[in-house]
């Protein structure tokens, strides 16, 4: 700054006496020595003039300091200085008259009754989203594995995944921008997509939260969205049971989910989460200020939630708070369908969801049903926590907590049986569709998103909606032959011990045997 003052000053002095021709470079060098002497000799004579200058100087220095401060703030925050080209859609002029479509992937060999509950297949839904895309497709997925498959056990089960991958590669020819945020470092598919014009940004989750970017959603043209359990994995389009929703023509919802995407986008190559955030990534809606939408002409309120806490900039609803809130608002029933249920954070008890289930069942008399997957990676302690929950209702009137395990016993011998990968909750008042299993370390370390939809009218006034559709799906699965009740444990003490010993050796169970 002091150097700057000097040069400002000498420029000011030189400017007065010299003619207006552009100085030659050698002239400047030759002159500079003389000017130095000149400068020191005349400086006291100019003191009066300097005084006048000093006021201007002060202002200049102050301005410089301000610039410097702003620069520092920008460097240490995620504010996007230049911003992206905005398409002018704001909370005021966005579209809230939307269409919602429930999408599912039901493995071919899974025999579920289809009375009135056939839904659009996931692959059809995602392809139709790509059909609609005109400008941009933003995708977040924990996995990019659309092409590989286990040929021996699942012949031909890859085709849907491969087709989808080809369509993503071809987006460029339609001048549609593909943007991907991912925490994967060595994905061949991301590499290939990059070569075909996709913009991929790496989010160093291991540095930020010691977890992974496990969110699963799409934002297309900031108008249409997909959110659900399915990732960009060939299994999600073939042998895994998935559930999600597509919301079309819904810029009001899309711009907020786009902000979640922008949040990840801004984290590129950072190893800390900034404390100052651009307005472009903070939440538009939340639990206390949801957006009002018309989904297939039914009025609902909705909002997006995220996790972990560190990834919830100002006003963004947290997944855990939202799950608790949705449970608290339920008056009659809570139906939960998740792959894994485990109230543990590595080796500690993690209570938020577990205690809310207990409260709902025992203190508020809400009927709770939990459908959990029984598969090769089911943690042995799951059964203990479930038994504990079930024992709550012993000898209590109006207390109902039922648990069933979704299992495909005939395939247990197979190395990779199709699993129920659903992650949602439906109550008499709202539906929550998330990305996480209900496992402590998921919410605490991994990034995920959720969507809450709450009809504003009663069932009688509004007729069947998305809520009833999800409920019907749950009941279909609940009454299917694959849902089995937990048998009272008749394990021998030795077996129990071996299970617990096994668990001791699997301290990082959730990280190392990631179901994704
Ligand atoms: C992620 O961050 C960690 C810790 O800062 C660092 O060791 C690692 O190299 C980073 N990974 C990548 C791919 O940059
Ligand atoms: C979305 O809106 C456009 C134009 O209004 C319409 O052509 C299209 O069919 C709509 N999409 C859906 C899925 O409703
Ligand atoms: C228990 O259920 C019965 C019948 O459903 C109802 O009449 C009664 O009020 C309930 N009791 C409590 C404490 O909720
Ligand atoms: C909404 O409308 C679409 C298309 O008209 C339909 O496919 C979908 O099932 C409807 N969704 C609900 C929840 O009724």
């Amino acid at each position: 700054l002091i150097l700057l003052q000097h040069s400002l000053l000498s420029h000011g002095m030189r400017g007065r006496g010299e003619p207006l021709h552009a100085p030659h470079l050698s002239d400047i060098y030759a002159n500079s020595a003389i000017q130095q002497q000149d400068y020191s000799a005349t400086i006291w004579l100019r003191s009066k003039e300097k005084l006048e200058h000093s006021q201007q100087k002060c202002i200049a220095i102050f301005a410089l300091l301000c610039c410097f401060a702003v620069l520092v703030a920008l460097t240490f925050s995620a504010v996007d200085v230049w911003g992206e080209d905005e398409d002018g859609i704001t909370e005021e002029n966005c579209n809230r008259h939307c269409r919602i479509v429930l999408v599912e992937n039901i493995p071919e060999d899974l025999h579920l009754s289809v009375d009135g509950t056939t839904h659009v297949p996931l692959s059809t839904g995602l392809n139709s989203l790509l059909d609609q895309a005109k400008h941009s497709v933003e995708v977040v997925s924990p996995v990019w594995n659309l092409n590989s498959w286990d040929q021996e056990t699942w012949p031909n089960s890859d085709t849907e995944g491969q087709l989808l991958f080809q369509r993503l590669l071809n987006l460029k020819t339609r001048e549609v921008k593909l943007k991907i945020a991912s925490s994967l470092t060595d994905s061949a598919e991301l590499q290939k997509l990059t070569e075909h014009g996709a913009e991929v940004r790496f989010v160093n989750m291991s540095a930020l939260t010691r977890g992974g970017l496990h969110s699963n959603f799409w934002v297309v043209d900031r108008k249409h969205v997909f959110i659900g359990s399915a990732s960009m994995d060939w299994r999600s389009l073939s042998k895994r049971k998935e559930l999600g929703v597509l919301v079309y023509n819904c810029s009001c919802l899309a711009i907020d989910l786009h902000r979640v995407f922008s949040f990840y986008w801004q984290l590129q190559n950072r190893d800390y989460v900034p404390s100052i955030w651009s307005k472009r990534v903070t939440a538009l809606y939340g639990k206390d200020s949801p957006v009002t939408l018309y989904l297939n002409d039914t009025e609902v309120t909705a909002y997006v939630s995220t996790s972990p806490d560190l990834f919830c900039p100002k006003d963004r609803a947290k997944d855990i708070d939202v799950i608790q809130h949705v449970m608290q608002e339920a008056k009659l029933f809570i139906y939960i369908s998740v792959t894994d249920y485990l109230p543990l954070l590595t080796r500690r008890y993690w209570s938020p969801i577990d205690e809310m289930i207990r409260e709902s069942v025992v203190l508020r008399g809400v009927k709770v049903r939990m459908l959990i997957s029984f598969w090769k990676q089911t943690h042995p302690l799951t059964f203990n926590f479930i038994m504990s929950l079930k024992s709550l209702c012993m000898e209590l009137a109006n207390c109902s907590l039922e648990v069933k395990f979704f299992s495909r016993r005939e395939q247990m011998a197979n190395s990779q049986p199709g699993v129920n990968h659903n992650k949602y909750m439906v109550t008499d008042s709202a539906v929550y569709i998330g990305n996480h299993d209900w496992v402590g370390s998921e919410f605490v370390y991994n990034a995920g998103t959720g969507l809450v939809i709450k009809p504003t009218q009663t069932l009688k006034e509004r007729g069947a909606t998305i809520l009833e559709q999800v409920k019907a799906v749950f009941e279909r699965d609940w009454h299917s032959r694959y849902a089995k009740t937990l048998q009272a444990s008749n394990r021998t003490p030795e077996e129990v011990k071996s299970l617990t010993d096994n668990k001791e050796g699997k301290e990082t169970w959730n990280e190392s045997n990631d179901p994704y």
Side-chain angles (χ1 to χ4, degrees):
L1 279 173
I2 288 162
L3 277 176
L4 244 147
Q5 272 180 60
H6 270 248
S7 82
L8 271 177
L9 199 66
S10 63
H11 264 279
M13 293 190 307
R14 208 188 318 150
R16 233 156 283 251
E18 271 172 20
L20 260 168
H21 64 79
H24 208 266
L25 214 82
S26 57
D27 285 349
I28 295 174
Y29 285 125
N31 284 345
S32 62
I34 306 164
Q35 272 178 8
Q36 285 285 296
Q37 290 173 355
D38 226 9
Y39 171 66
S40 44
T42 52
I43 193 133
W44 61 274
L45 284 170
R46 302 269 183 178
S47 60
K48 192 173 156 250
E49 211 171 320
K50 223 175 100 183
L51 240 155
E52 285 165 19
H53 275 300
S54 66
Q55 221 168 10
Q56 291 168 10
K57 263 181 356 190
C58 266
I59 293 166
I61 291 164
F62 183 70
L64 277 169
L65 273 172
C66 286
C67 287
F68 183 69
V70 169
L71 255 169
V72 169
L74 288 177
T75 321
F76 289 96
S77 76
V79 182
D80 39 353
V81 186
W82 309 115
E84 305 166 36
D85 46 332
E86 290 287 290
D87 43 16
I89 300 174
T90 65
E91 302 137 84
E92 281 79 40
N93 65 11
C94 60
N95 187 20
R96 52 187 82 238
H97 292 268
C98 324
R99 300 246 137 229
I100 186 163
V101 177
L102 187 67
V103 286
E104 275 195 286
N105 187 61
I106 309 281
E108 255 170 43
D109 56 345
L110 201 65
H111 304 289
L112 297 169
S113 79
V114 287
D115 48 321
T117 55
T118 43
H119 301 113
V120 177
L122 174 68
S123 54
T124 312
L126 292 180
N127 278 306
S128 94
L129 266 189
L130 288 179
D131 290 340
Q132 306 261 330
K134 291 193 177 60
H135 311 289
S136 65
V137 176
E138 296 163 334
V139 182
V140 192
S141 165
V143 176
W144 281 89
N145 196 17
L146 287 167
N147 288 294
S148 35
W149 73 99
D150 183 353
Q151 204 158 13
E152 274 174 30
T153 46
W154 293 87
N156 304 325
S157 57
D158 62 310
T159 46
E160 289 297 346
Q162 282 181 335
L163 285 176
L164 187 65
F165 190 71
Q166 284 307 319
R167 294 211 56 190
L168 289 171
L169 284 180
N170 291 337
L171 280 178
K172 197 191 172 199
T173 58
R174 286 166 47 199
E175 291 181 7
V176 175
K177 231 179 170 170
L178 176 60
K179 292 170 147 194
I180 297 164
S182 170
S183 62
L184 302 172
T185 48
D186 54 354
S187 159
E189 292 195 352
L190 286 181
Q191 184 63 38
K192 185 136 190 235
L193 287 165
T194 309
E195 284 160 16
H196 284 73
E199 200 180 338
V200 179
R201 285 206 177 172
F202 170 68
V203 183
N204 193 340
M205 288 296 291
S206 50
L208 295 167
T209 66
R210 290 183 288 145
L213 195 56
H214 285 186
S215 308
N216 275 316
F217 66 84
W218 289 32
V219 180
V220 174
D221 292 346
R222 287 182 220 169
K223 250 192 203 165
H224 321 293
V225 305
F226 161 76
I227 185 167
S229 62
S231 44
M232 293 298 102
D233 187 328
W234 63 273
R235 278 168 286 217
S236 287
L237 300 165
S238 54
K239 62 176 194 162
R240 226 157 52 180
K241 192 168 154 302
E242 310 273 10
L243 180 139
V245 288
L246 299 173
V247 191
Y248 291 100
N249 286 342
C250 208
S251 48
C252 284
L253 181 63
I255 53 174
D256 204 24
L257 202 55
H258 167 72
R259 284 183 171 213
V260 178
F261 184 83
S262 299
F263 181 93
Y264 302 150
W265 204 242
Q266 303 278 352
L267 285 176
Q268 182 184 33
N269 292 332
R270 283 172 190 275
D271 53 10
Y272 61 92
V273 176
S275 49
I276 309 168
W277 284 103
S278 155
K279 269 183 85 178
R280 288 175 206 272
V281 302
T282 50
L284 285 173
Y285 320 108
K287 191 165 90 217
D288 303 315
S289 54
V291 58
T292 302
L293 302 173
Y294 299 88
L295 301 179
N296 287 21
D297 305 322
T298 307
E299 189 181 272
V300 304
T301 58
Y303 55 94
V304 169
S305 61
T306 59
S307 50
D309 288 2
L310 196 60
F311 276 30
C312 299
K314 190 168 157 283
D315 302 335
R316 177 64 71 198
K318 299 174 181 167
D319 273 323
I320 281 301
D321 293 351
V322 164
I323 288 173
Q324 291 188 329
H325 182 70
V326 168
M327 283 188 184
Q328 255 163 352
E329 290 207 320
K331 296 205 164 51
L332 304 175
F333 67 86
I334 299 171
Y335 294 166
I336 297 159
S337 180
V338 289
T339 312
D340 293 312
Y341 178 80
L342 191 68
L344 279 186
L345 181 57
T346 31
R347 299 289 294 277
R348 278 182 296 132
Y349 176 57
W350 181 83
S351 62
I353 293 181
D354 211 51
E355 75 189 17
M356 193 50 68
I357 293 177
R358 287 166 198 265
E359 193 182 300
S360 305
V361 170
V362 179
L363 302 181
R364 290 188 293 114
V366 178
K367 180 171 139 184
V368 174
R369 282 180 169 175
M370 301 171 72
L371 186 59
I372 299 163
S373 298
F374 179 60
W375 64 310
K376 66 175 171 140
Q377 282 174 25
T378 301
H379 193 287
L381 282 179
T382 303
F383 306 105
N384 302 64
F385 284 112
I386 291 300
M387 290 304 264
S388 157
L389 276 177
K390 288 189 69 164
S391 66
L392 270 176
C393 277
M394 230 187 286
E395 320 227 333
L396 264 184
N398 294 4
C399 184
S400 166
L401 186 140
E402 296 169 275
V403 181
K404 282 189 181 180
F405 285 86
F406 196 92
S407 132
R408 303 173 64 187
R409 185 179 299 230
E410 69 269 33
Q411 294 198 353
M412 284 314 279
N414 193 314
S415 60
Q416 284 190 312
V419 62
N420 182 16
H421 203 235
N422 291 177
K423 295 149 196 351
Y424 66 84
M425 160 169 67
V426 57
T427 74
D428 48 287
S429 73
V431 50
Y432 167 84
I433 293 178
N435 294 154
H436 281 326
D437 280 312
W438 289 17
V439 175
S441 43
E442 282 274 292
F443 291 100
V444 172
Y445 299 122
N446 297 329
T449 52
L451 173 66
V452 178
I453 299 172
K454 191 176 169 201
T456 49
Q457 297 158 314
T458 63
L459 178 59
K460 230 193 229 154
E461 292 160 348
R462 67 172 195 255
T465 59
I466 186 72
L467 197 149
E468 278 66 41
Q469 281 193 10
V470 177
K471 179 170 175 250
V473 164
F474 182 89
E475 281 168 346
R476 176 201 66 197
D477 295 348
W478 183 261
H479 295 296
S480 76
R481 67 171 97 159
Y482 306 105
K484 291 152 190 160
T485 47
L486 182 68
Q487 303 299 317
S489 177
N490 44 17
R491 293 184 194 128
T492 64
E494 286 73 30
E495 279 173 324
V496 172
K497 185 170 180 306
S498 88
L499 274 175
T500 359
D501 286 348
N502 188 18
K503 173 219 81 190
E504 299 284 321
K506 288 165 97 183
E507 191 182 347
T508 53
W509 173 79
N510 194 47
E511 279 83 23
S512 60
N513 290 332
D514 199 322
Y516 298 92

